[in-house]
Amino acid sequence: MIRKATLLTASALSLMAGLASADVRIASVAELSGAGAAAGAVWHDGIKMAVEEINAAGGILGEQIDLVEYDSQTDPQNSRAMVQKAIDEEAFVLMGTVYSSSTVVNMLVAMQNGVPQITGSESPTITAKGNPYIFRTAFGAQKGLPKLGSYIKDDLGASKVAVIWANTEFGKGGHDAFENVAASNGIEIVSDIPTEQAQVDFAADVAKLKSSGAEAVFAYMTEEESARFLIEAEKQGLGLPIVGDTVIASQKVIDLAGSAANGVSSHVGLTAEAPIPAIREMAAKFEAKYGYGADHNAIKGYLGAYTVKYVTEAVGSFDRQAFADKMHGLCLDAATHPGILMDACWDDTGELSRESFLVQVVDGKQQITKTLPAN
Amino acid sequence: MKRAHLILALIGIAVLILAPIGQKNYIIYVLCSWLMFSIAAMGLNLTLGYAGQVSLAQASFIGIGAYITSLLTLAGYHWVFGWLAAMGATFVIGLLLGYPALRVQHHFLAFVTLAFNTIVFLVLRNEEEITGGSFGLVGMPRPEFFGIKTMPQLNFYYFVLVLFVISAFVFWWIVHSPWGRAFKALRENPIRAESLGVDTRRITLLAFAIGSAFGGGAGAIMAPLVQFIEPGSFALIHSLKILLMVVVGGAGFFYGPMLGAAVVIILPEFLRFTEGYYLIIYAFLVIVLMVYSPSGLIGLGSKLMARFRPKQEVRKDMAKGAQL
Amino acid sequence: MAEFIQILISGLSAGSIYALAAVGFTLLWQASQTINFAQGEFVMLPAFFVLALTVKLGLPLPLAIILAIFLSVLLLGAVFKKLVVEPMIQHGTLPLVIATIALGLLLKEGVKEFYSPLGQPFPSLFPQDVLSVFGAAVSIPDIANFVIAMGTIIGLQLFLARTRTGRCMQATAQNPDVAQILGVDIKKMVLYTFLINGALAAIASVLITPIYLAKFSNGEVLGLVAFIAAIVGGFNQIRGALVGGLLIGVIDNLSAGYVSAEYRQAVPMLLLIFVILVRPQGLLGTSEGRAV
């Protein structure tokens, strides 16, 4: 039995591996199923759209891109296996994963094999590990949150803040980054409330926030949980300014929470609402193509694919090591590299710098209140 | 009969030795992963297929084993100590957990283990100073034996294979020992077994504890295999996945869990062309299998074989199915 | 004080929904020894029937809800019994447990692939007004959920105790062989139980989804909670499931508020282990027989 199964697998796998062609292969390793499918599938669609555009315009250095997708199933172990597989199948560059819990695992494999990896993850830990092959498409929470710290301190005038966060790898990263920001801004964290993944009942948490004496609330959770929290906060009449990062002011949360989302302010790295024609144009094209709106993950995937094109062309050949070396300390400006959408620079850890935005939800719409400089 | 079994096992081992040669890293990694889950599923098979108890905590035992091994190897101890500590700890926890649960009605072990799995997940996530919390532990070294490094994927495969063969042999030995015969008596007729002087509760408890220790042993392999562990890999859903492996393969059959693990780990590869639908197809196939052959794929196989070979032994206990 | 009352009331409101799911759970167990691991998905799914009917087909909400309940009774009741439970029941509980785990996966993945992987807003049946009760905010939906859930369970209890069909169902649950000898059509009675479970799941779904938001993964937590509530309360008693549901709702909220937010999920689990060790038949369960 074992023998049969093994032989069958082996032959099936080698069959799939044998599909190589002369084009340049880019592997998209993403959360196409499982809990992260909402993020990963959108990221993948963003990549797909960019790759089609690039191929229609002649490819990279005259080679067509062969985009191959690998499903991590939102499972870190499986994502590791998929990265291994993509490398076995001679991917030139890896795109993915979006979930930080997967990226921290599979980036080890990419590093061991010297394959550049463009990730959509925003957890601070990723660029702090000294991996010379990892590059971001959106800066980590440790870069985004300081921009928010001065907003809380100066614009809201709040010195006592309550933090409510998802007790996962994602939420914990944001929570820890915010703790640092609070400390350096002299903000006191008066209440620190971890919540569960997929939590549905926020009654006790909001009741605690209410009696915490905080002057503002920093909320760092995923989409549905953010919406449920906002609904409960409205119900209990929390009455405190709620601030967050990217997710809480996203269109998805606004759709889910309805009027409860009004008044929420947030720092946003990338948004389809950004006052930048290239992003608006990309978002409109995306919506027309896929039938749903582009979010920050779609934009990350899109500009990530273009990053591969621009960096490779700057190198002049398909050389993985040269690609990684070139990208450290590289700046791409949107004027000469339109696919990058906004000017962006990478430092020697693969961390990204870019302008970002401060938004507020007004009447169920995200409104840009400020454009924040790159840091 | 016995010689036929031996030959079959030897052929199996030979195939396993040859399987990874010339294969790429990814396939070798998948094979390692399959062998590891087979060990965990083998343990659950002892609990479920032989002692008739449902454990919904096998993933948490893998987790306990993986964390113990990780912490010890990261602290500089050789992997072997981690392995022994992992198996020992999970055996003792199995005893402590099973003793009170089996004191009451028989299906309560399922409920207690379900609660236990959730609690283990929370402890692993919350006790950050020891376990690394939701960030997990990363960078566990792969062990070295007599100067041979297991860092290359192929070497690591043979290392896992050796452990797999040891585990399978231990399993075989347990099942054929006097204990094992007691299991068999217990499974086929608990009341008669008891009246013949088999201490049902003690035997069941031992089966559960040994089965848990197999889980711990699998965890000790997972740590250096993946070189990263985090609490989410040991959540309840993964215990259900291992339960599915055992039952889909065929609970109570020696090769059942290995086949079941192969199906769970390798099936997604075959169903790749269906893109997002493969879990739907998998779930559907499991339901159909349970309707047609509650004793799993091996049961299905022998059912089909029985048509051609009417002398095939029909297992009385499996005709009725295991009881929760 | 206001905080405590707030937490208590919210707990009762959540608990009443857990009770609905748990009651269905115990009914199936009594009637057919089915441990339904897909119960959470049974509560997740009807909300998507409603969404499909209102959003995709443009039906008015009340009509969509009635149709969704009907669909649930048909699919989660009759079809589930006919295609999944009936062929497997003679093989003992284990294959059925595995099959319901797989069924849960099938429903979850099906909704994700064919409807949406993203959470969806769900219309509320009631106005969103909030009342102040001893300083605690209580919304009309909270009160309505509690009243409807309790009313449904009490109605069910009366049906089982006072009507001829109900008593036949009880007899079937207690002793199918004797019931059959006494001329009860036990097959029909078991079918009724499955139909009732389908309806209960649909009611719970419509009540809870405006708060939970419709998402394919909603059943994971709900199913587990219903399962624990049923065991804690007493697997063989409707009122046990009721008490278990309310208790878990309140304890979950209280432990999040006063014990530890990080370990809130552990508290119901510890309660479960404690109950099994001290009173394995459940708080209100009877140790022998399977009385409704």
Side-chain angles (χ1 to χ4, degrees):
Chain A
M1 275 309 182
I2 322 167
R3 182 180 159 217
K4 213 167 96 216
T6 318
L7 286 178
L8 270 173
T9 330
S11 56
L13 292 176
S14 47
L15 204 89
M16 282 171 207
L19 296 169
S21 65
D23 302 338
V24 57
R25 172 167 298 198
I26 294 181
S28 165
V29 185
E31 293 76 4
L32 300 177
S33 64
V42 178
W43 152 266
H44 181 70
D45 280 350
I47 296 173
K48 228 161 57 185
M49 188 166 108
V51 166
E52 282 168 22
E53 287 176 14
I54 295 168
N55 279 344
I60 302 177
L61 297 173
E63 299 276 352
Q64 290 285 299
I65 299 173
D66 173 23
L67 180 68
V68 187
E69 60 176 68
Y70 300 85
D71 181 8
S72 81
Q73 302 170 30
T74 324
D75 175 21
Q77 286 190 36
N78 196 57
S79 84
R80 186 197 196 279
M82 286 299 131
V83 164
Q84 183 70 69
K85 185 167 182 198
I87 292 170
D88 285 356
E89 292 172 15
E90 284 162 12
F92 169 56
V93 172
L94 303 166
M95 306 278 305
T97 37
V98 180
Y99 268 44
S100 306
S101 50
S102 290
T103 307
V104 291
V105 193
N106 59 48
M107 64 190 260
L108 295 172
V109 183
M111 181 169 82
Q112 282 159 10
N113 291 279
V115 179
Q117 183 176 10
I118 314 269
T119 177
S121 302
E122 297 174 19
S123 170
T125 50
I126 285 169
T127 49
K129 291 183 192 290
N131 181 330
Y133 296 95
I134 193 89
F135 299 94
R136 289 203 207 259
T137 50
F139 47 76
Q142 87 287 0
K143 286 199 92 145
L145 293 181
K147 300 185 184 185
L148 199 61
S150 49
Y151 170 75
I152 292 174
K153 188 90 199 290
D154 304 333
D155 296 27
L156 294 177
S159 57
K160 290 178 175 173
V161 174
V163 183
I164 178 165
W165 50 286
N167 198 351
T168 59
E169 206 269 344
F170 156 76
K172 182 88 176 125
H175 167 267
D176 293 358
F178 186 78
E179 266 185 341
N180 292 334
V181 169
S184 61
N185 280 283
I187 298 170
E188 186 192 348
I189 295 178
V190 290
S191 184
D192 190 6
I193 303 174
T195 63
E196 293 297 327
Q197 187 166 32
Q199 181 171 323
V200 287
D201 191 349
F202 283 87
D205 307 304
V206 172
K208 258 172 38 184
L209 287 178
K210 241 177 130 176
S211 56
S212 68
E215 294 158 352
V217 177
F218 174 68
Y220 202 83
M221 291 167 284
T222 40
E223 278 85 355
E224 284 84 5
E225 290 73 26
S226 295
R228 291 175 190 133
F229 161 70
L230 292 175
I231 292 169
E232 183 68 28
E234 187 191 41
K235 184 185 123 190
Q236 289 194 28
L238 181 62
L240 296 174
I242 296 170
V243 295
D245 190 62
T246 306
V247 173
I248 199 155
S250 67
Q251 197 54 46
K252 189 72 224 169
V253 172
I254 297 172
D255 290 347
L256 289 172
S259 65
N262 287 336
V264 166
S265 46
S266 169
H267 167 260
V268 175
L270 288 168
T271 165
E273 304 299 318
I276 291 173
I279 291 185
R280 296 275 172 96
E281 202 180 297
M282 177 264 160
K285 191 175 170 197
F286 187 93
E287 182 149 13
K289 184 172 165 68
Y290 297 109
Y292 65 91
D295 65 1
H296 58 284
N297 286 318
I299 304 174
K300 282 193 280 191
Y302 180 86
L303 64 84
Y306 268 103
T307 305
V308 176
K309 171 183 163 75
Y310 296 139
V311 175
T312 312
E313 291 182 345
V315 171
S317 66
F318 295 101
D319 178 338
R320 296 188 181 93
Q321 189 58 46
F323 183 103
D325 293 342
K326 183 86 197 168
M327 207 166 160
H328 288 126
L330 179 73
C331 283
L332 293 174
D333 62 303
T336 45
H337 306 97
I340 208 82
L341 302 174
M342 292 167 73
D343 297 356
C345 293
W346 288 267
D347 68 10
D348 53 5
T349 63
E351 183 59 81
L352 175 100
S353 289
R354 188 163 53 203
E355 280 185 345
S356 59
F357 309 96
L358 205 61
V359 302
Q360 187 153 36
V361 180
V362 180
D363 291 332
K365 273 263 159 247
Q366 212 183 67
Q367 283 192 356
I368 309 283
T369 48
K370 222 188 240 178
T371 300
L372 304 168
N375 61 350
Chain B
M1 192 65 195
K2 232 176 170 182
R3 184 186 282 170
H5 269 289
L6 189 66
I7 291 169
L8 186 69
L10 288 176
I11 291 173
I13 292 171
V15 169
L16 286 176
I17 290 172
L18 296 175
I21 291 171
Q23 298 292 355
K24 293 197 169 164
N25 281 334
Y26 167 69
I27 291 168
I28 301 175
Y29 179 83
V30 170
L31 288 174
C32 288
S33 178
W34 166 59
L35 290 177
M36 181 201 79
F37 273 109
S38 293
I39 295 173
M42 231 185 266
L44 186 59
N45 190 26
L46 194 65
T47 314
L48 179 74
Y50 290 84
Q53 288 290 330
V54 174
S55 163
L56 297 174
Q58 196 68 349
S60 65
F61 288 114
I62 299 180
I64 292 169
Y67 271 89
I68 289 177
T69 309
S70 301
L71 290 171
L72 284 174
T73 50
L74 286 173
Y77 293 94
H78 193 273
W79 176 85
V80 165
F81 297 106
W83 182 54
L84 293 173
M87 303 253 292
T90 43
F91 180 77
V92 171
I93 293 170
L95 285 181
L96 293 177
L97 191 66
Y99 180 75
L102 292 168
R103 208 169 45 87
V104 283
Q105 278 161 287
H106 63 285
H107 56 260
F108 280 82
L109 185 72
F111 305 151
V112 171
T113 48
L114 177 133
F116 177 75
N117 203 118
T118 307
I119 292 171
V120 167
F121 168 79
L122 291 172
V123 171
L124 293 179
R125 189 198 60 189
N126 294 343
E127 300 312 314
E128 212 184 324
E129 271 150 39
I130 306 167
T131 62
S134 44
F135 296 131
L137 297 172
V138 75
M140 281 71 79
R142 287 187 173 176
E144 204 181 306
F145 293 92
F146 316 111
I148 301 169
K149 290 194 173 74
T150 61
M151 192 57 213
Q153 204 78 300
L154 194 63
N155 292 7
F156 194 80
Y157 172 83
Y158 288 118
F159 160 66
V160 179
L161 182 59
V162 168
L163 292 170
F164 170 81
V165 171
I166 294 173
S167 305
F169 178 76
V170 169
F171 181 86
W172 182 88
W173 176 77
I174 289 172
V175 171
H176 290 85
S177 71
W179 285 355
R181 284 199 290 276
F183 286 144
K184 204 173 164 197
L186 175 65
R187 187 182 60 191
E188 278 170 9
N189 194 336
I191 297 164
R192 186 160 154 259
E194 198 144 15
S195 67
L196 288 176
V198 176
D199 185 345
T200 322
R201 196 172 294 148
R202 215 185 75 198
I203 292 287
T204 314
L205 181 61
L206 262 177
F208 173 63
I210 296 170
S212 304
F214 271 72
I221 298 171
M222 185 194 264
L225 170 66
V226 189
Q227 294 179 294
F228 169 79
I229 50 170
E230 47 101 32
S233 306
F234 311 111
L236 184 62
I237 180 85
H238 296 281
S239 285
L240 297 180
K241 192 168 96 179
I242 299 166
L243 183 67
L244 274 164
M245 285 179 190
V246 176
V247 178
V248 165
F253 296 96
F254 183 75
Y255 291 108
M258 300 166 206
L259 183 63
V263 168
V264 170
I265 292 189
I266 291 157
L267 195 70
E269 287 301 328
F270 286 104
L271 296 178
R272 239 162 75 92
F273 66 92
T274 64
E275 294 185 357
Y277 300 117
Y278 76 86
L279 272 176
I280 299 179
I281 295 170
Y282 173 65
F284 180 75
L285 290 178
V286 170
I287 297 174
V288 172
L289 178 70
M290 286 298 108
V291 169
Y292 186 67
S293 168
S295 47
L297 288 172
I298 295 212
L300 185 69
S302 40
K303 224 183 212 177
L304 295 177
M305 291 231 292
R307 289 198 180 163
F308 304 103
R309 287 200 312 186
K311 278 179 92 179
Q312 183 81 11
E313 189 185 347
V314 179
R315 309 180 52 135
K316 289 182 188 76
D317 57 312
M318 281 298 137
K320 192 166 164 274
Q323 294 285 335
L324 182 64
Chain C
M1 192 58 196
E3 185 184 317
F4 179 75
I5 293 173
Q6 179 76 58
I7 289 175
L8 194 67
I9 290 178
S10 300
L12 284 174
S13 170
S16 58
I17 309 289
Y18 300 160
L20 270 184
V23 165
F25 216 97
T26 58
L27 281 178
L28 292 195
W29 168 254
Q30 289 165 32
S32 64
Q33 319 288 280
T34 305
I35 296 182
N36 183 15
F37 270 84
Q39 186 78 358
E41 277 70 29
F42 278 28
V43 178
M44 175 275 295
L45 189 62
F48 283 93
F49 291 158
V50 174
L51 282 179
L53 292 168
T54 52
V55 179
K56 307 258 150 140
L57 296 182
L59 297 185
L61 183 63
L63 180 62
I65 289 176
I66 292 168
L67 280 176
I69 294 177
F70 176 75
L71 272 175
S72 305
V73 168
L74 185 73
L75 295 176
L76 305 179
V79 174
F80 171 56
K81 173 174 183 286
K82 187 82 202 153
L83 293 187
V84 180
V85 178
E86 236 166 52
M88 257 175 270
I89 196 74
Q90 73 267 26
H91 299 306
T93 19
L94 187 64
L96 195 50
V97 163
I98 300 297
T100 59
I101 291 174
L103 180 65
L105 190 64
L106 184 71
L107 296 178
K108 202 162 65 179
E109 291 296 319
V111 166
K112 199 180 81 193
E113 288 301 324
F114 296 112
Y115 200 93
S116 170
L118 303 171
Q120 306 290 324
F122 191 83
S124 176
L125 299 172
F126 311 103
Q128 297 294 310
D129 302 58
V130 177
L131 312 173
S132 178
V133 181
F134 301 111
V138 183
S139 67
I140 304 279
D142 281 345
I143 300 170
N145 284 358
F146 186 79
V147 169
I148 294 176
M150 289 301 116
T152 307
I153 294 172
I154 292 168
L156 179 66
Q157 183 81 287
L158 287 175
F159 166 75
L160 289 173
R162 300 282 166 83
T163 65
R164 193 180 147 68
T165 315
R167 283 199 293 267
C168 287
M169 285 171 70
Q170 286 198 55
T172 308
Q174 277 164 15
N175 195 329
D177 297 338
V178 173
Q180 191 159 31
I181 292 167
L182 292 175
V184 176
D185 186 347
I186 59 167
K187 277 209 168 132
K188 212 176 196 174
M189 296 305 137
V190 172
L191 176 66
Y192 286 165
T193 315
F194 277 83
L195 299 184
I196 290 173
N197 183 49
L200 289 176
I203 293 170
S205 188
V206 170
L207 293 179
I208 201 75
T209 314
I211 303 169
Y212 282 17
L213 308 170
K215 195 177 181 192
F216 69 94
S217 56
N218 277 359
E220 291 167 14
V221 178
L222 255 176
L224 193 61
V225 169
F227 188 66
I228 294 166
I231 302 164
V232 166
F235 224 42
N236 51 14
Q237 292 283 335
I238 282 191
R239 59 171 191 273
L242 173 64
V243 169
L246 293 177
L247 195 64
I248 298 290
V250 170
I251 284 183
D252 176 48
N253 271 280
L254 284 178
S255 48
Y258 299 109
V259 183
S260 154
E262 283 175 317
Y263 279 106
R264 78 185 283 177
Q265 288 185 327
V267 177
M269 296 297 166
L270 292 173
L271 178 72
L272 171 74
I273 293 181
F274 179 76
V275 165
I276 285 174
L277 297 187
V278 176
R279 203 179 150 76
Q281 70 271 34
L283 295 177
L284 295 185
T286 43
S287 53
E288 43 187 5
R290 289 179 283 117
V292 172

